[in-house]
Amino acid sequence: MNKFLKKFLKLLVVLAVLAGIAYGVKFFFFTEKASDAAGSLVSAKVTQTTISTTISATGTLEPVDQVEVGTQVSGDIAKIYVDFNSKVKKGQVIAELDKSKLKATLTQSEIAYRSAVNDYKYKESTYNRVKKLSESNAASAVELETAEYNMNSAKLSVERSKNEVNQARLNLSYATIKSPIDGVVLKRAVEVGQTVAASMSTPTLFVIAKDLSQMKVMAAIDEADIGQVKQGQRVTFTVDAFQEDKFKGSVQEVRLNPTTTSNVVTYTVVITAENPDQKLLPGMTATCTIVTQEVEDAIAIPVKALKFTPAEGTPMADPRDMPRPPRPEGGDFAKGDFPPPPPDMGAGGPPPGGPGGFGPPGGGKGGKAVFKKRTGAKKPSGDHVWVSIDGKAAPRRVKTGISDGVNIQILKGLSVGDSVVVSQETISAAKSEKSSTSNPFMPGPPGKKKKK
């Protein structure tokens, strides 16, 4: 009896193993895979919006007109009449140098001038006297020439002394520093008593900005993007001090002089901006966005609609039910502007070239062959999207324009209000859950009582 029971138990174990193997073969080879299941289509409406392409760059804010005020003479700073942020007018005295040395130089020049004039008068009278004697043959020609030479030399000395007097007066006037423009003092680089030497170069005493209500941004544009930047393009920028504010400007100049830093070539683009509230200050770093192309009220769809491909088993719309896109004047279907009119399917036969009548019948290469294998239809050539018609997919050839990375402009092929497929839901999770609950080798849910 015990031997019979052991044989019976062994037979049950063998039968259980064979049943498990048979179920596994059926589960893995005859059950539809969840990854191949086609879910419902997710679509988006064709809308009208503004699409623009942009370039990003950073730059430094500067006044439109900025002047460095220096001195052409050396000396000690005697007086300073302005300070940082002082508003000045053109011709206003802003500083003075010590004038004692310059006045002494002017006095010496005036004395030398008077001496030269006196010498000239003496030699002129001598020349006139010798000339009269020469007319009566009482003086030789050599004496006359010598007297004339001395008179002309004295005359040149007078002119030279006069120029020295004018130069001394001019240097004395340079000791009074005046503002060359109307504006605001941005920088004061000297103090009272400081000595400035104007020898090889002019020392900078003050920096004056003409008008802070007008600012410019010196933006550095990479060489890969400089070809898209043109004069007059619209610019928006932000600064760290006012992160919630967006300032507007325009491209004024594209400078041709390149700047190379660590083998990176950039070009300077001058951007002008209004600053009525004077929030923008010189030296701030601006993060700029240059609008290179912009289309308002453009017919647009999401970019991912162009990348969508239906999964296997996705229901396809009948081409006879597909709405035909508007045909503009001069449209040429032979050039691929629009899909041709839906063909007659006859007695329910498939349309040539796949849904929508795209392309000639037959297979394709690369992605087209894969598409035909997955959907049973030939993939349309060129840019195309899938439109949703009553939950079914239908291809539509389109002509695209500019893209901002999120939306893309549609020039031909779609109208506002059409629905384009952007993605497809998956039912893999549901399939997996269903399969897991029907697996006999997996334990049942807790709390479930077995029927006796």
Side-chain angles (χ1 to χ4, degrees):
M1 184 65 182
N2 292 334
K3 293 182 180 181
F4 178 79
L5 182 59
K6 290 180 180 180
K7 291 181 180 180
F8 181 76
L9 292 176
K10 289 180 179 180
L11 180 61
L12 289 179
V13 171
V14 171
L15 292 177
V17 171
L18 293 177
I21 294 174
Y23 183 86
V25 171
K26 180 180 179 182
F27 181 81
F28 288 102
F29 293 97
F30 297 98
T31 303
E32 180 184 5
K33 294 183 179 179
S35 59
D36 294 333
S40 59
L41 301 176
V42 179
S43 60
K45 292 289 185 181
V46 179
T47 59
Q48 275 188 314
T49 184
T50 299
I51 300 180
S52 58
T53 58
T54 60
I55 294 175
S56 298
T58 58
T60 304
L61 279 163
E62 296 180 3
V64 173
D65 194 357
Q66 180 175 297
V67 179
E68 294 183 354
V69 182
T71 176
Q72 299 187 44
V73 294
S74 302
D76 298 335
I77 301 294
K79 296 179 182 179
I80 296 178
Y81 299 103
V82 295
D83 203 347
F84 292 92
N85 302 337
S86 297
K87 294 183 178 181
V88 296
K89 297 291 183 181
K90 182 178 181 179
Q92 177 182 339
V93 178
I94 57 179
E96 289 184 4
L97 299 179
D98 185 10
K99 300 179 181 180
S100 58
K101 184 178 180 180
L102 297 174
K103 288 180 179 180
T105 303
L106 176 60
T107 301
Q108 292 176 1
S109 300
E110 290 175 343
I111 292 174
Y113 172 72
R114 288 195 296 268
S115 175
V117 171
N118 187 46
D119 184 61
Y120 169 71
K121 289 181 179 180
Y122 169 75
K123 292 181 178 180
E124 184 181 23
S125 63
T126 301
Y127 168 76
N128 292 333
R129 184 169 58 254
V130 173
K131 183 178 181 182
K132 289 181 180 181
L133 293 174
S134 177
E135 290 175 354
S136 62
N137 295 323
S140 64
V142 175
E143 293 175 338
L144 179 62
E145 290 178 357
T146 302
E148 184 179 5
Y149 171 77
N150 292 334
M151 182 190 68
N152 291 335
S153 296
K155 184 179 180 179
L156 293 176
S157 297
V158 170
E159 293 179 356
R160 181 173 58 253
S161 298
K162 184 178 180 179
N163 289 334
E164 290 177 354
V165 171
N166 293 334
Q167 183 64 47
R169 288 176 179 172
L170 185 61
N171 289 340
L172 182 59
S173 67
Y174 286 155
T176 302
I177 311 300
K178 298 180 180 180
S179 174
I181 58 174
D182 297 341
V184 179
V185 178
L186 298 182
K187 179 181 179 182
R188 176 173 62 84
V190 291
E191 299 289 344
V192 175
Q194 182 176 342
T195 301
V196 291
S199 54
M200 300 300 294
S201 60
T202 302
T204 300
L205 307 183
F206 302 92
V207 177
I208 300 178
K210 184 177 182 179
D211 185 9
L212 292 182
S213 63
Q214 295 282 336
M215 301 292 287
K216 64 181 179 182
V217 181
M218 310 301 288
I221 306 297
D222 189 83
E223 61 177 326
D225 300 326
I226 193 63
Q228 305 178 45
V229 182
K230 307 296 180 187
Q231 184 178 2
Q233 290 176 338
R234 184 171 63 86
V235 182
T236 59
F237 63 93
T238 59
V239 294
D240 292 339
F242 307 99
Q243 297 183 0
E244 297 181 356
D245 295 341
K246 282 192 175 182
F247 301 92
K248 299 180 180 179
S250 61
V251 176
Q252 181 188 25
E253 180 185 8
V254 179
R255 295 186 176 175
L256 304 180
N257 184 37
T259 301
T260 304
T261 305
S262 301
N263 295 329
V264 177
V265 180
T266 58
Y267 292 84
T268 300
V269 174
V270 182
I271 301 170
T272 57
E274 299 288 339
N275 188 27
D277 300 332
Q278 297 191 3
K279 290 183 176 181
L280 302 175
L281 303 179
M284 285 184 171
T285 300
T287 303
C288 306
T289 301
I290 303 175
V291 181
T292 56
Q293 297 183 59
E294 187 173 28
V295 179
E296 296 182 355
D297 298 330
I299 298 177
I301 62 172
V303 174
K304 57 184 179 180
L306 289 173
K307 303 177 182 179
F308 172 75
T309 300
E312 181 182 353
T314 301
M316 297 294 170
D318 191 330
R320 293 176 296 183
D321 298 333
M322 293 172 55
R324 190 179 306 175
R327 179 177 182 177
E329 296 182 1
D332 189 355
F333 289 137
K335 295 181 180 180
D337 290 344
F338 293 97
D344 188 7
M345 294 182 61
F358 285 92
K365 296 181 179 181
K368 295 182 179 181
V370 175
F371 175 85
K372 183 176 181 180
K373 180 180 179 181
R374 291 173 61 92
T375 63
K378 185 178 182 298
K379 183 178 182 179
S381 60
D383 290 335
H384 73 283
V385 296
W386 292 87
V387 295
S388 176
I389 303 175
D390 297 332
K392 298 180 180 180
R396 178 75 60 82
R397 186 177 298 131
V398 294
K399 184 176 181 181
T400 58
I402 66 173
S403 172
D404 58 4
V406 178
N407 297 317
I408 187 169
Q409 180 188 11
I410 300 298
L411 300 177
K412 296 178 182 178
L414 292 173
S415 301
V416 177
D418 291 345
S419 296
V420 293
V421 183
V422 295
S423 63
Q424 190 170 11
E425 294 182 354
T426 176
I427 56 174
S428 300
K431 290 279 187 179
S432 300
E433 182 179 356
K434 181 178 179 181
S435 300
S436 63
T437 55
S438 60
N439 192 338
F441 296 101
M442 296 295 293
K448 185 176 180 180
K449 297 182 179 181
K450 296 182 180 181
K451 295 181 179 180
K452 295 182 179 181

